Amino acid sequence: MDIAVIAYEGINPFMLSTPLAVFGGAGLSNDHRVFVCAEANRISTSAGITLETPHLLDAAGEADVVILPGWRDASEAVPPAIVEQLRSAHARDTVAVGLCLGAFGLAETGLLDGRRATTHWAAVEAFRDRFPAVQIDPTAIVV
């Protein structure tokens, strides 16, 4: 299974490391190929670390699962290129995942309209205000 993790300018390194550790951690016996892709091959993190990503964003088009780790700011729109990758994943029956504030990116696609979703507890009201068509469940950890 190919799993694309979308990185972006200003990503929190912890948010990026979580899906990498879960799906591609050393010592895991699995057949997953986990790769990081971004709009540019070099991005800065919120911690001041510069990352080189081996794949550009369009590589997500070849994945079986596309993950948007927690978004950097609940009040900021996710870039159109990332939103389009999430829509494209859905259109080809690929699993699209938004972790924590990454749910904002999924909601921006319209894919969550009429569906139950959750996000970080501190951003529930912002999510509810911005995406009234989504059934936000503040008590859920995972949906």
Side-chain angles (χ1 to χ4, degrees):
M1 177 182 310
D2 288 347
I3 302 171
V5 180
I6 298 176
Y8 50 82
E9 191 65 30
I11 193 168
N12 179 310
F14 173 76
M15 293 296 173
L16 180 60
S17 71
T18 301
L20 296 176
V22 168
F23 294 109
L28 293 179
S29 60
N30 62 50
D31 294 325
H32 302 319
R33 182 176 78 97
V34 182
F35 60 94
V36 176
C37 57
E39 289 186 88
N41 289 116
R42 182 179 283 244
I43 59 171
S44 297
T45 70
S46 63
I49 300 166
T50 300
L51 297 177
E52 291 191 18
T53 59
H55 304 279
L56 291 175
L57 194 54
D58 62 351
E62 302 169 20
D64 301 300
V65 176
V66 177
I67 299 173
L68 176 60
W71 185 237
R72 63 184 170 223
D73 185 343
S75 65
E76 178 189 356
V78 175
I82 293 175
V83 171
E84 185 50 41
Q85 277 301 327
L86 295 169
R87 278 191 190 119
S88 175
H90 176 73
R92 65 179 188 279
D93 291 329
T94 295
V95 175
V97 177
L99 301 177
C100 200
L101 294 183
F104 280 75
L106 283 181
E108 285 185 42
T109 68
L111 297 174
L112 297 180
D113 289 358
R115 295 177 184 241
R116 187 171 157 255
T118 195
T119 192
H120 189 282
W121 63 266
V124 167
E125 290 308 314
F127 190 96
R128 182 178 284 130
D129 292 345
R130 226 162 111 199
F131 306 107
V134 179
Q135 301 165 14
I136 186 74
D137 182 347
T139 64
I141 294 173
V142 176
V143 174

